[in-house]
mmCIF file of all heavy atoms in Angstrom:
data_model
loop_
_atom_site.group_PDB
_atom_site.id
_atom_site.type_symbol
_atom_site.label_atom_id
_atom_site.label_comp_id
_atom_site.label_asym_id
_atom_site.label_seq_id
_atom_site.Cartn_x
_atom_site.Cartn_y
_atom_site.Cartn_z
ATOM 1 N N ALA A 667 10.635 0.966 -2.487
ATOM 2 C CA ALA A 667 10.055 1.418 -1.217
ATOM 3 C C ALA A 667 10.719 2.709 -0.739
ATOM 4 O O ALA A 667 10.060 3.586 -0.172
ATOM 5 C CB ALA A 667 10.202 0.327 -0.166
ATOM 6 N N GLN A 719 0.396 5.506 -19.485
ATOM 7 C CA GLN A 719 0.687 4.082 -19.639
ATOM 8 C C GLN A 719 1.696 3.825 -20.753
ATOM 9 O O GLN A 719 2.603 2.995 -20.598
ATOM 10 C CB GLN A 719 -0.611 3.320 -19.930
ATOM 11 C CG GLN A 719 -0.427 1.815 -20.013
ATOM 12 C CD GLN A 719 -1.740 1.103 -20.247
ATOM 13 O OE1 GLN A 719 -2.684 1.665 -20.796
ATOM 14 N NE2 GLN A 719 -1.819 -0.146 -19.842
ATOM 15 N N THR A 767 2.427 1.146 -4.855
ATOM 16 C CA THR A 767 2.641 1.180 -3.411
ATOM 17 C C THR A 767 1.945 0.012 -2.731
ATOM 18 O O THR A 767 2.493 -0.613 -1.810
ATOM 19 C CB THR A 767 2.137 2.508 -2.828
ATOM 20 O OG1 THR A 767 2.818 3.593 -3.452
ATOM 21 C CG2 THR A 767 2.368 2.575 -1.332
ATOM 22 N N ARG A 888 -8.364 25.011 -29.560
ATOM 23 C CA ARG A 888 -8.915 25.371 -30.869
ATOM 24 C C ARG A 888 -9.712 26.669 -30.774
ATOM 25 O O ARG A 888 -9.736 27.463 -31.716
ATOM 26 C CB ARG A 888 -9.809 24.242 -31.389
ATOM 27 C CG ARG A 888 -9.071 22.930 -31.626
ATOM 28 C CD ARG A 888 -7.912 23.148 -32.604
ATOM 29 N NE ARG A 888 -7.194 21.930 -32.873
ATOM 30 C CZ ARG A 888 -7.528 21.050 -33.816
ATOM 31 N NH1 ARG A 888 -8.585 21.261 -34.571
ATOM 32 N NH2 ARG A 888 -6.807 19.969 -34.000
ATOM 33 N N GLN A 902 -5.620 39.541 -29.631
ATOM 34 C CA GLN A 902 -4.224 39.169 -29.428
ATOM 35 C C GLN A 902 -3.507 40.096 -28.463
ATOM 36 O O GLN A 902 -2.545 39.708 -27.796
ATOM 37 C CB GLN A 902 -3.462 39.149 -30.762
ATOM 38 C CG GLN A 902 -3.968 38.096 -31.752
ATOM 39 C CD GLN A 902 -4.999 38.659 -32.716
ATOM 40 O OE1 GLN A 902 -5.913 39.385 -32.282
ATOM 41 N NE2 GLN A 902 -4.861 38.352 -34.011
#
Side-chain angles (χ1 to χ4, degrees):
Q719 184 178 26
T767 302
R888 297 303 181 87
Q902 296 94 315

